[in-house]
Amino acid sequence: MDGLTALAYRGYDSAGVAVWEGGEISLRKAKGRIDNLRAMLDKSPVSGKCGIGHTRWATHGEPSDVNSHPHTDSNKTLALVHNGIIENYLKLKEMLEKRGCVFVSETDTEVVAQLLGYLYRGNPLFALKQAVSLIEGSFALAILFADDPEAIYCTCKDSPMVLGHGDGESVVASDIPAILEYTRDVCFMQDRQIAVMRKDGISYYDEFGVSIEKTPTHIDWDVESAKKGNYEHFMMKEICEEPEAFRKTFEQYVSIKDFSLKAEKFPWDAARAKSMERLTIVSCGTAYHAGMLGKKFIEHMARLPVDVDIASEFRYSDALLKKGAPFMVISQSGETADTIAAMRRAKQLGCETMAVCNVTGSTISREAEHVLYTYAGPEIAVAATKTYLTQIIVMYLVALDLAEKRGEMTREQVAERLKKMQKVPVSMQKILDSRENIQFFASRAFAVKHVFFIGRGIDYALAMEAALKLKEISYIHSEAYAAGELKHGTIALIEDGSLVVALATQDELLPKIASNMEEVRVRGAHVLAVTNGRWEGAKGHSHEQWEIDRMDETLAPLCAIIPMQLLAYYLAVQKGCPVDQPRNLAKSVTVE
Ligand code: F6R
């Protein structure tokens, strides 16, 4: 149950467990949050030494008790949990129904359970090998066979799976936080490998059933960092960890004694940096927004053209990329299905792949030719906060490194920027220390129906992330708009009481954004300006002004994101939303 709770951020429509108990497999399943399952188990406990559990994010079949995992075959010879999507489930279901299988749920997962039960002739490994060759799609499967009650059989394809080698116990999960309490020595499963876990060890096999050796990796994440501590929500804890995450990531890439970049940390030398014609960045959601900001940094400082695309679009696009072109993905989890597919496509096209990633051992970090890690530590809340920050830090450092190696900035100019950059966490902390002001604003504003985040240039890229953060956790309709574009249509939505947050951190663009603020103010919007130090010009055009410490304009988004995340958080709390686990969302989107 603790493991499931640690994984609740991946899905929470329903939950269930199966335990081998007194000669048979006992099942408990409940629709809704994990607490419903916990209550059911309090009333009707199970006990045993070998079990599997699941917390679901529905893809096929509505959230309900019967659609919850674990699923069994008709004879209850096995129970299994599944993460992923079985694409040929209808074909398999038809074939199994013709052979007498009676299905009870609407899920694609039950098809795997029934298929395995149908193929099973007393040898779990053999049945599993056969089943894996027949199913198409993505899957991470953990299976309990009634005939082999002290073992769990596991396999996966295009879905993450991590196995922990504990002391007198073995554990498996789809993400590290669920097993950190039990062991730090883990192996990541590769596609179609099979593992058989027993309390005294784990045996690994390749897809042909041939025994293979795997060497565990030691995970040095702090257990506490995957716990909530004294915070009401993981999201607030993770926002408060941002100054620390900033320092950690910064120090990995920058040598503090002389404020120089650690050249070896970046996957290009000067010749390669100079020869680059274009960089393509592909990612999803918040990571896409980090890419958008990265584009601004890189184009501005390194004068290298950057294309940014959404992974789900890129993977089916014409992808006109040259052989050998640099191709970067950004993904905190390293497991986002579309991002993985986009990277594989780029590899096929002969691009040089690199990844900005937060999780060592994840699929993306294993498959990319080069990895630029972010050092945010585990992020549990569904909404990305500290991982976004560390992604944009890495993008900033990438821009500086490329600028220096391409001869667009001198080493001294880079050192100057880095010196300034090192001070940003102090300014971030100031905002965190006075966060009650934002809480107070939220207590007045939480009934707002529409929020528009407007900005130009760097501020527009930041606005995109601010709008996503707000809508995903507070369910308030919000949009990001390039400030100058608003009047080409969207301004029609502005009415009395709309909230417009004007991100105005770039001096040169202030007169322009002032006009845009005025356009919405006179149409009834409540205008909040977020500024880089005091901006007297905001008076008259806005109703309030939130200032960050005055800093180099290129650095401003690294700090200005904090009040935006806090605004989203406090509005969501005021509205009584489940901040860490917003409806319909899962942390790692391992399905297409
Ligand atoms: C939003 C959020 C998502 C992720 C997106 C990509 O707060 O977290 O939009 O950014 O699902 O995830 P990763 O970075 O794991 O590839």
Side-chain angles (χ1 to χ4, degrees):
M1 289 305 293
D2 288 343
L4 287 187
T5 308
L7 286 182
Y9 67 90
R10 297 176 70 98
Y12 31 79
D13 293 336
S14 59
V17 291
V19 174
W20 199 85
E21 185 183 37
E24 60 167 21
I25 295 172
S26 297
L27 284 171
R28 302 286 184 276
K29 314 206 276 191
K31 182 182 163 184
R33 308 238 157 193
I34 288 173
D35 280 346
N36 297 356
L37 176 65
R38 203 180 290 279
M40 178 184 274
L41 285 167
D42 283 345
K43 268 200 215 134
S44 167
V46 288
S47 74
K49 291 185 177 169
C50 194
I52 52 178
H54 188 265
T55 168
R56 177 166 187 249
W57 186 74
T59 57
H60 292 64
E62 57 166 14
S64 68
D65 289 354
V66 72
N67 287 337
S68 313
H69 302 207
H71 286 281
T72 63
D73 63 323
S74 302
N75 299 326
K76 252 182 146 190
T77 48
L78 60 97
L80 63 79
V81 289
H82 166 223
N83 180 24
I85 293 180
I86 305 300
E87 285 166 3
N88 59 340
Y89 81 106
L90 279 176
K91 201 170 109 204
L92 291 172
K93 190 170 180 176
E94 221 171 85
M95 183 276 281
L96 289 162
E97 275 173 339
K98 275 191 201 140
R99 286 164 172 78
C101 292
V102 180
F103 283 79
V104 292
S105 79
E106 302 156 314
T107 64
D108 52 336
T109 300
E110 192 190 351
V111 172
V112 186
Q114 297 282 12
L115 177 67
L116 263 173
Y118 176 72
L119 296 169
Y120 181 65
R121 300 282 183 277
N123 181 338
L125 200 58
F126 189 68
L128 192 51
K129 249 181 358 179
Q130 274 187 305
V132 166
S133 69
L134 291 171
I135 54 182
E136 289 164 17
S138 57
F139 51 86
L141 295 164
I143 310 149
L144 204 58
F145 284 89
D147 290 350
D148 192 0
E150 296 197 347
I152 295 173
Y153 288 74
C154 311
T155 188
C156 69
K157 185 190 152 260
D158 294 338
S159 252
M161 184 165 234
V162 56
L163 287 104
H165 293 247
D167 184 11
E169 61 183 349
S170 302
V171 271
V172 59
S174 34
D175 204 357
I176 299 168
I179 62 176
L180 268 187
E181 287 271 6
Y182 312 98
T183 179
R184 303 300 190 81
D185 297 318
V186 305
C187 284
F188 297 94
M189 288 280 268
Q190 314 259 333
D191 279 359
R192 296 181 194 278
Q193 288 180 339
I194 295 176
V196 184
M197 302 169 36
R198 298 182 192 280
K199 69 174 182 195
D200 46 6
I202 306 177
S203 317
Y204 294 97
Y205 303 88
D206 68 11
E207 59 184 296
F208 306 108
V210 177
S211 172
I212 50 169
E213 287 293 319
K214 278 175 88 77
T215 314
T217 310
H218 188 77
I219 300 290
D220 55 9
W221 283 0
D222 172 11
V223 176
E224 286 312 307
S225 58
K227 289 189 178 161
K228 223 186 298 181
N230 292 328
Y231 292 91
E232 202 181 327
H233 298 103
F234 275 112
M235 182 174 174
M236 179 49 93
K237 174 174 180 267
E238 288 159 3
I239 294 175
C240 289
E241 283 169 353
E242 285 184 276
E244 190 50 28
F246 190 120
R247 289 189 186 97
K248 276 195 183 149
T249 304
F250 186 76
E251 282 164 17
Q252 286 290 332
Y253 290 92
V254 178
S255 158
I256 306 292
K257 61 176 192 325
D258 59 352
F259 288 101
S260 63
L261 289 160
K262 297 182 185 169
E264 73 286 359
K265 284 277 193 173
F266 299 89
W268 42 73
D269 57 14
R272 173 74 176 127
K274 279 194 190 114
S275 74
M276 285 183 193
E277 289 170 12
R278 293 197 92 77
L279 170 67
T280 304
I281 302 180
V282 169
S283 40
C284 301
T286 288
Y288 168 70
H289 299 153
M292 291 298 289
L293 202 45
K295 170 183 166 77
K296 304 277 179 200
F297 292 152
I298 296 167
E299 290 186 341
H300 179 65
M301 294 189 254
R303 316 307 290 178
L304 172 68
V306 179
D307 298 315
V308 188
D309 206 352
I310 294 165
S312 53
E313 286 295 312
F314 173 84
R315 62 184 289 192
Y316 298 114
S317 70
D318 289 326
L320 303 176
L321 295 178
K322 277 194 188 159
K323 203 164 182 228
F327 182 91
M328 182 182 275
V329 294
I330 307 178
S331 174
Q332 83 76 24
S333 63
E335 300 296 352
T336 301
D338 284 322
T339 312
I340 295 173
M343 190 173 78
R344 288 180 181 159
R345 173 112 200 264
K347 250 191 190 176
Q348 275 169 357
L349 294 168
C351 297
E352 184 187 13
T353 56
M354 38 203 132
V356 175
C357 187
N358 195 47
V359 182
T360 336
S362 58
T363 306
I364 286 179
S365 70
R366 287 197 316 265
E367 292 190 14
E369 284 162 72
H370 312 282
V371 186
L372 292 134
Y373 282 106
T374 49
Y375 296 85
E379 187 175 71
I380 307 299
V382 164
T385 53
K386 60 177 180 169
T387 55
Y388 170 75
L389 175 81
T390 52
Q391 284 165 354
I392 59 178
I393 290 169
V394 169
M395 296 316 295
Y396 194 90
L397 297 172
V398 159
L400 281 180
D401 188 68
L402 284 170
E404 188 179 332
K405 289 179 178 154
R406 286 165 65 85
E408 296 291 342
M409 283 171 89
T410 62
R411 176 159 284 209
E412 292 66 38
Q413 286 171 321
V414 169
E416 205 46 48
R417 286 280 168 93
L418 291 172
K419 224 180 262 173
K420 290 179 182 164
M421 189 174 178
Q422 194 204 19
K423 296 196 185 118
V424 175
V426 178
S427 301
M428 291 165 71
Q429 191 60 51
K430 271 198 202 161
I431 300 170
L432 290 170
D433 292 344
S434 59
R435 57 185 186 270
E436 305 77 33
N437 297 333
I438 297 177
Q439 185 174 18
F440 180 61
F441 175 83
S443 67
R444 288 179 285 139
F446 73 96
V448 66
K449 295 272 180 298
H450 307 283
V451 183
F452 296 86
F453 292 86
I454 60 171
R456 287 171 178 258
I458 278 184
D459 285 330
Y460 172 47
L462 188 66
M464 293 169 93
E465 175 56 9
L468 177 65
K469 216 64 344 175
L470 181 62
K471 75 180 85 162
E472 72 177 318
I473 61 167
S474 73
Y475 316 146
I476 296 172
H477 165 237
S478 59
E479 284 188 45
Y481 243 79
E485 184 65 11
L486 205 62
K487 58 182 160 302
H488 296 287
T490 304
I491 202 163
L493 295 174
I494 302 288
E495 56 188 19
D496 269 350
S498 300
L499 173 62
V500 175
V501 182
L503 294 166
T505 66
Q506 309 296 304
D507 285 352
E508 213 180 288
L509 297 168
L510 290 181
K512 304 290 166 202
I513 189 112
S515 326
N516 305 134
M517 285 156 60
E518 192 55 16
E519 286 158 10
V520 291
R521 194 188 65 82
V522 296
R523 288 171 173 81
H526 184 90
V527 182
L528 160 64
V530 178
T531 62
N532 186 359
R534 190 79 194 151
W535 173 32
E536 292 304 333
K539 273 193 204 142
H541 305 307
S542 61
H543 299 88
E544 38 208 306
Q545 186 175 164
W546 292 356
E547 295 161 42
I548 60 166
D549 279 350
R550 174 90 195 149
M551 62 183 71
D552 185 295
E553 290 163 290
T554 57
L555 291 167
L558 305 185
C559 190
I561 186 58
I562 301 263
M564 297 300 91
Q565 293 169 343
L566 288 169
L567 176 65
Y569 173 83
Y570 283 122
L571 283 171
V573 170
Q574 285 292 332
K575 287 190 66 191
C577 299
V579 175
D580 284 339
Q581 296 170 354
R583 69 184 176 210
N584 306 340
L585 294 176
K587 180 88 184 152
S588 302
V589 186
T590 52
V591 292
E592 191 176 337

